[in-house]
Amino acid sequence: MGAKANDQFQDMLPVMADKIGGEGLIRELCKGFNLLMDKDKGLITFDSLKKNSALLGLQDLRDDELLSMLKEGDLDGDEALDEMEFCVLMFRLSPELMHESEALLDLALQQEFKNSAA
């Protein structure tokens, strides 16, 4: 993925985490996912990412950079990102946050399990 987009996330996530805390950060990541996802499929596909990337200020990314981002986050090989894959990718794109994020990831996983159990 291009250094420009990676730098944007590196700069943004730690600031957001400090400002709004772990639960707030999870909520914001979920909003980002909802903005980028294909509403019919409930997943972020290449087409939905390309179509909606301007909403997150990523309109300058080339197709190969968007594809690279999808591939990097696609843990189950379906060529799309579900909400958990998206959140994991956002944390991975922010190495500075990773040093402080064990509690945030635990919270995200607990929330996912709560949602799955409901």
Side-chain angles (χ1 to χ4, degrees):
M1 186 166 156
K4 181 178 176 184
N6 196 7
D7 288 345
Q8 288 173 344
F9 287 121
Q10 284 182 19
D11 294 341
M12 187 173 72
L13 282 178
V15 171
M16 286 176 63
D18 287 344
K19 199 175 202 177
I20 60 180
E23 286 185 31
L25 181 59
I26 300 300
R27 269 195 307 278
E28 291 305 309
L29 286 173
C30 290
K31 285 181 192 174
F33 175 81
N34 289 332
L35 284 173
L36 294 173
M37 79 172 178
D38 179 312
K39 305 298 183 230
D40 295 329
K41 296 179 182 174
L43 299 168
I44 297 175
T45 63
F46 172 73
D47 290 334
S48 72
L49 184 59
K50 184 174 173 111
K51 178 179 161 190
N52 299 317
S53 60
L55 296 172
L56 296 181
L58 303 176
Q59 65 274 7
D60 294 335
L61 293 180
R62 300 183 317 262
D63 285 2
D64 63 318
E65 292 174 314
L66 294 174
L67 281 169
S68 175
M69 182 176 159
L70 267 181
K71 284 179 185 170
E72 187 173 336
D74 182 15
L75 303 175
D76 62 8
D78 65 354
E79 298 182 3
L81 301 180
D82 62 28
E83 193 168 23
M84 186 54 73
E85 287 172 326
F86 175 75
C87 289
V88 169
L89 177 63
M90 293 301 99
F91 280 106
R92 284 176 53 211
L93 290 176
S94 184
E96 181 184 337
L97 185 63
M98 280 303 292
H99 297 296
E100 307 163 9
S101 67
E102 273 187 29
L104 294 177
L105 288 173
D106 285 344
L107 179 65
L109 291 172
Q110 288 170 15
Q111 189 66 35
E112 181 69 17
F113 289 131
K114 279 185 204 171
N115 292 342
S116 297

